[in-house]
Amino acid sequence: MNKKTIAALFISVAVVAVAGGYFFSQQESGEAIQHSRPISADALFKASFDDMEGKPQALAQWRGKVMVVNFWATWCPPCRAEMPEFVKLQTKYKTNGLVFVGIAIDQKDKVIAFADEIGVNYPVLLGELGAVELTRNLGNRLGGLPYTVIVDRSGHIVATEMGELSKARLEPVIKSLL
């Protein structure tokens, strides 16, 4: 894939993500997370993306844990706003079987810099084009960011959320699954 195609993809995703993130960040913060009837996370568990060291990481390695999979980008203000809360929740519940997995749709150097800046303490993978398609397969019809998928220990998607997700809204869902 050439640089022009990648640049066009990032610009397209950025426009949709910013618009979607803005729209959904305007929603009342007390609303419940969008629960779906539990559905299989097979598409998620079949996916594999490189980590920040360039090593392939299969999402299936976290099967059996409560997973919060967050699709994000450094250029997405709602993404940047929610991630410090995710760091706190990962610290609080890691020993109970929780794992956050960040899948960045962004350039590697920017992802590394931002993850270091806020002290991300959970796996961050580099998604590129495959992650955009995966979000659509997981219910993200608009292709906006951030997009979060919550998976229970049985491997079922129990909730999804488009837009910024606060600790106050996410923590009760996590606690109910642990």
Side-chain angles (χ1 to χ4, degrees), residues 1 7 36 49 64 66 74 88 95 100 118-119 124 135 139 141 168 176:
M1 181 173 308
S36 59
F49 300 104
V66 173
T74 62
K88 291 175 187 172
T95 59
F100 277 80
I118 67 165
V124 175
T135 69
R141 292 182 310 244
S176 75

Side-chain angles (χ1 to χ4, degrees), residues 134-153:
L134 180 58
T135 69
R136 287 196 173 98
N137 292 337
L138 297 172
N140 185 6
R141 292 182 310 244
L142 297 176
L145 296 176
Y147 188 70
T148 305
V149 177
I150 302 169
V151 181
D152 68 13
R153 292 181 192 272

